[in-house]
Amino acid sequence: MKFLLLILISMLIFCPACSIYRIASKDVSTNFHRQLKMEDVVYIERLDKPHEIIGYITVNTERRQSLSDVMDKMKREAAILGGNTITDIKSDATGTWKSLPAQNLVGNAYVRANFSATVVILKK
C-alpha cells in the first residue's frame, strides 16, 4: 500500500511538468524539396519577396506555452518539409473550448490552442 502511495505521489509531482505538443503539417507542393537543418529556417512576419508556398503547419499545445517554444517546433517541421521560411503565424483556441455553453463566463480561459503557419521557399 505504501508503495502504491509513493508511486501516486511521484506521478503527481512529475506529470504536471509534461507538455504535450501535437504537430501536423500539410505539403501542398508538387516539387521535391530537400530537407534542411532547423537552423536554416527563419521567421519573416511579412513577405515582400517572391516566394513559393510549399506547406502549412499546425501545432496544438497548451495555451500557456511560449511562442518561442512553438516556433522551435514549427521551424523543425518546416525544415523537414524543405522550407526555408515560416510566415503568417496565427493562434486560435481549439473548437471544443469555443463551443462551451457559458462562453461569456469562461471568456478567454481556453486550455489548448492551435498555432498555424505557412511554410515557404524564398525565390532568388
Side-chain angles (χ1 to χ4, degrees), residues 26-29 33 52-56 78 81-84 119-121:
K26 181 178 180 182
D27 186 358
V28 296
S29 176
H33 302 285
E52 174 190 355
I53 296 175
I54 65 165
Y56 300 97
L81 289 175
N84 60 10
V119 181
V120 300
I121 293 180

Side-chain angles (χ1 to χ4, degrees), residues 22-36:
R22 187 173 302 140
I23 303 168
S25 61
K26 181 178 180 182
D27 186 358
V28 296
S29 176
T30 57
N31 299 328
F32 172 76
H33 302 285
R34 66 178 179 84
Q35 184 173 336
L36 302 174

Side-chain angles (χ1 to χ4, degrees), residues 44-51 87 122-123:
I44 298 177
E45 188 172 343
R46 291 191 180 148
L47 283 175
D48 55 356
K49 300 176 183 177
H51 61 277
T87 187
L122 296 178
K123 295 184 177 182

